[in-house]
Amino acid sequence: MAVVVGFIPTPVGFAALEAAHREAERRGGPLIIVNVVRDDVGEDPRHADAGQLERAQDMVRRSSVRIAVRQEHTDDDVSDVLVQVVEEEGAELLVVGIRRERDMARHLLGITIQKLLTSSPSDVLVV
């Protein structure tokens, strides 16, 4: 069954990608790597450029499962786009990472993660 990973080009994003790759191989894949670009936000470190997407693919290139990379552009909420991809792909798992830089971040989930946990039609793995 398909595994979707919400990918951002940060250490947290690459950790989520590794976890999603393991899950996709365990479940028989495919693995769909999704980077969501907010069109209404200019420079954003969560927007992956071509080189960062290539690096993500290189991490999982020797996989036994099919890999697909999608960069979705939206003016909507990131969580809505990820849920839509999960539905389109018939995925059984969505993998996302959370930031842990601040002390409080360890105790609170961001609004995007909260929305995904309550609205995703699949299981959600938070890394």
Side-chain angles (χ1 to χ4, degrees):
M1 293 294 285
V3 174
V4 171
V5 58
F7 174 73
I8 57 175
T10 65
V12 168
F14 283 101
L17 177 59
E18 287 179 19
H21 181 234
R22 284 191 304 272
E23 284 295 321
E25 287 195 325
R26 187 174 73 78
R27 296 165 189 258
L31 173 62
I32 298 91
I33 303 167
V34 181
N35 177 247
V36 181
V37 175
R38 295 279 315 268
D39 290 329
D40 60 343
V41 178
E43 294 296 315
D44 188 333
R46 295 170 293 193
H47 297 171
D49 62 30
Q52 292 163 326
L53 291 174
E54 182 65 29
R55 181 173 164 222
Q57 275 188 291
D58 285 347
M59 282 182 61
V60 295
R61 194 167 307 276
R62 293 186 186 103
S63 180
S64 63
V65 298
R66 181 178 62 82
I67 307 295
V69 177
R70 295 174 58 167
Q71 190 165 51
E72 300 290 331
H73 290 261
T74 188
D75 289 326
D76 295 329
D77 192 283
V78 170
S79 61
D80 292 339
V81 174
L82 290 173
V83 166
Q84 180 180 343
V85 172
V86 166
E87 291 171 345
E88 288 172 5
E89 298 289 344
E92 70 175 3
L93 181 66
L94 170 64
V95 181
V96 291
I98 59 171
R99 293 175 282 178
R100 296 177 183 87
E101 301 94 39
R102 293 177 239 134
D103 289 336
M104 205 53 161
R106 283 182 266 157
H107 305 289
L108 301 173
L109 296 174
I111 190 74
T112 299
I113 300 297
Q114 289 178 9
K115 285 182 176 182
L116 290 170
L117 288 171
T118 59
S119 63
S120 178
S122 69
D123 291 339
V124 179
L125 172 61
V126 179
V127 178

